Amino acid sequence: MKDIAAREFSKKILAIQEEERHRISRDLHDEIGQFSVSLGSALNIIEKEISKRNFDSALSIIKDAKTILANTAERFRTLFIDLRPAELGMLGLPSVLRELFSHYTKSHPLNIKFRENLAGVSIKDDMAITLYRVIQEAFNNIVKHAKAKNVKIDLLLKGGEIILTIEDNGIGFDTGAFFKDANIDKLGLRGMRERVDLLNGKFLLESKPKNGTKINVTFPIIEEM
Ligand SMILES: Nc1ncnc2c1ncn2[C@@H]1O[C@H](COP(=O)(O)OP(=O)(O)OP(=O)(O)O)[C@@H](O)[C@H]1O
Ligand SMILES: [Mg+2]
C-alpha cells in the first residue's frame, strides 16, 4: 500500500516539476516576444521621427522605450528568482535566500529576521532545493494570505540535524480544516509536505486563527562533501 502511495507522490512531484518548466518556458517566450515587438516598433517610430527631424517626438519615444526596458528587466528578475535553485550549488543556500528575502521586502512591507549557522556546511542538492522551495512557498503564502508584519526564519544545524523554522505573526488559519478538505486547487502546503517526505524529513505545521503560522522542517543528516 505504502509503495503505491509513494509512487503516486513521485508521479505528482514530477508532474508539478514538468508544469513548472512549462510555465517558465511559456513566460520566457511571452516576455521575449512582447519585448522584441515593443522595442522594435519603438525603434521604427524613432527612426521615422528623426528622418522627419521631429526630435522632440523621437526623444519622447526613446523615453517610453527606456520604460519598456526597465519593466522587462524587472519581470526577468522575478523569473530568475523562480529559477534560482540552479544557483544554489554556486552561491550556497544562505546567499540565495538573502536574495529571495530582499525580493520580498522590496515589494511588501515585511520585516524579515533570518538566522543561520551554515557557513562551511555542504548541503546535498536535493535537500537545498527542497528547503528553498519550502521557504519560497511559505513566503508566497505569507504575502498572499497572512497579513503579517514580521517573519522569522531560522535555518540551523544542531546536533546533526538541519532545522528550518519559518514563523509569521499574521492571521493564521485552521490547519485541521484545511487538510480535511481535499481541495485540489490548493497545492502549496501539500507540495511542501510531499517534498519533505520524499527526503525523509519531518514536516510540522502549526497555526491558529489570529495566532500566526509556524512551519518546521527537520532533516536528519547533513552530508559533508
Ligand atoms: N502563512 C499563512 N497565513 C495564513 N493563512 C495561510 C498561510 N499559509 C497558508 N494559509 C492558508 O492555507 C491555505 C492553503 O495554502 P496553500 O499554499 O496550500 O494553497 P494556496 O496558497 O491557497 O494556493 P497555491 O499555493 O496552490 O497557489 C491558504 O489558502 C490559506 O487560507
Ligand atoms: Mg500557497
Side-chain angles (χ1 to χ4, degrees), residues 73-143:
E74 188 49 44
R75 284 200 297 273
F76 272 116
R77 235 193 310 279
T78 307
L79 257 175
F80 291 144
I81 287 207
D82 269 7
L83 287 169
R84 199 51 63 94
E87 282 184 9
L88 280 176
M90 257 187 306
L91 300 177
L93 188 58
S95 311
V96 174
L97 286 175
R98 283 198 180 87
E99 273 219 47
L100 179 75
F101 300 148
S102 89
H103 172 74
Y104 280 104
T105 47
K106 259 186 221 150
S107 43
H108 299 88
L110 269 185
N111 173 22
I112 300 176
K113 279 218 171 69
F114 178 39
R115 285 200 308 172
E116 52 92 11
N117 66 352
L118 298 182
V121 178
S122 322
I123 304 174
K124 268 179 26 180
D125 275 359
D126 51 359
M127 208 174 271
I129 289 172
T130 294
L131 289 165
Y132 181 86
R133 289 298 188 203
V134 167
I135 295 168
Q136 191 179 33
E137 174 56 21
F139 269 83
N140 287 340
N141 282 344
I142 288 167
V143 299

Side-chain angles (χ1 to χ4, degrees), residues 21-193:
R21 287 190 190 128
H22 258 100
R23 183 181 61 73
I24 291 162
S25 135
R26 198 183 51 225
D27 283 357
L28 271 172
H29 167 271
D30 292 353
E31 287 296 342
I32 291 171
Q34 177 67 33
F35 177 64
S36 337
V37 169
S38 312
L39 204 66
S41 54
L43 285 172
N44 282 338
I45 304 173
I46 293 164
E47 194 177 30
K48 254 190 221 144
E49 294 300 311
I50 290 182
S51 68
K52 289 194 273 176
R53 306 202 152 262
N54 292 334
F55 297 122
D56 282 350
S57 160
L59 278 174
S60 127
I61 294 161
I62 288 175
K63 216 168 142 199
D64 292 347
K66 281 167 107 176
T67 308
I68 294 172
L69 183 65
N71 291 342
T72 307
E74 188 49 44
R75 284 200 297 273
F76 272 116
R77 235 193 310 279
T78 307
L79 257 175
F80 291 144
I81 287 207
D82 269 7
L83 287 169
R84 199 51 63 94
E87 282 184 9
L88 280 176
M90 257 187 306
L91 300 177
L93 188 58
S95 311
V96 174
L97 286 175
R98 283 198 180 87
E99 273 219 47
L100 179 75
F101 300 148
S102 89
H103 172 74
Y104 280 104
T105 47
K106 259 186 221 150
S107 43
H108 299 88
L110 269 185
N111 173 22
I112 300 176
K113 279 218 171 69
F114 178 39
R115 285 200 308 172
E116 52 92 11
N117 66 352
L118 298 182
V121 178
S122 322
I123 304 174
K124 268 179 26 180
D125 275 359
D126 51 359
M127 208 174 271
I129 289 172
T130 294
L131 289 165
Y132 181 86
R133 289 298 188 203
V134 167
I135 295 168
Q136 191 179 33
E137 174 56 21
F139 269 83
N140 287 340
N141 282 344
I142 288 167
V143 299
K144 214 161 114 184
H145 310 293
K147 300 192 170 73
K149 281 208 187 85
N150 300 317
V151 187
K152 263 194 329 201
I153 301 115
D154 285 350
L155 187 57
L156 300 171
L157 179 64
K158 215 165 134 188
E161 289 184 324
I162 187 158
I163 305 167
L164 165 70
T165 315
I166 309 161
E167 205 173 346
D168 72 59
N169 70 340
I171 59 171
F173 67 107
D174 181 345
T175 54
F178 170 72
F179 282 111
K180 251 185 240 149
D181 171 19
N183 184 344
I184 49 164
D185 288 344
K186 298 182 178 176
L187 282 174
L189 289 172
R190 290 191 173 86
M192 269 187 208
R193 199 171 56 175

